[in-house]
Amino acid sequence: MVQQVTPETTIEVIYPESDGQPMADNTEQFAWIVKIKENLEILFASQADVFIAGDLFWYPVKGSPNLKQAPDTMVVFGRPKGKRGSYLQWDEDNIPPQVVFEILSPGNTLKEMTKKLQFYQRYGVEEYYIYDPAKNDLNGLLRSGDSFEVIEEMNDWVSPRLGIRFTLTPETLEIVSPTGQKFLSPVEIDRLREQERQAKEAALQELEKERDRYQELLAKLKEKGIDTDNL
């Protein structure tokens, strides 16, 4: 009797795209996540191979769906922009996020933040920034070999990867792009655009007035018999 061997059933591994938890615990934390993520999008808008995401699950190891983190903001150099339900590293040329931001809230625990630090250190993050808006406290870690080293002075620190500068004022954190443009909230960006639009309209109106005055002057000269074509 010949024993038939049935093929093994391949079990599909599911990598959840959401854990049902909110993106932020409060409005201030959410505002900072949006500000950093969106301004980085603007900064790298012309570079097709820089992927930026906020609160997106990052799975570093295939077959390990429980091994994941969702950084408040992450930046990946060397991967194309585009829509993703999660960041499956093995489908992304095995490139991990190089820069990660976390914005603290009162709900964050020491245990939770320690786990995140260990995760980011283990799976290849190069720069890790943690900002606490309530305390106006910024901390940074930079990769050195297989571990992180604390950045001793964060005030006026310039990110090696991003080129942005961090400045701590007595009231808040300011982030400035390599071009000197300060990171702004969406409302501030819209207000700035409106101011620029109004300034352009005012300049055009003034130009039209100058043109009208010039035409009036030419007309008066012609009335006096002056050949304006040879002026």
Side-chain angles (χ1 to χ4, degrees), residues 68-100:
K68 64 184 183 296
Q69 282 293 343
D72 287 336
T73 301
M74 66 181 187
V75 184
V76 191
F77 290 86
R79 296 307 301 152
K81 301 182 190 302
K83 297 180 180 179
R84 290 167 174 80
S86 56
Y87 190 82
L88 306 176
Q89 189 172 312
W90 54 93
D91 286 339
E92 306 282 356
D93 285 349
N94 207 34
I95 299 175
Q98 292 96 349
V99 186
V100 162

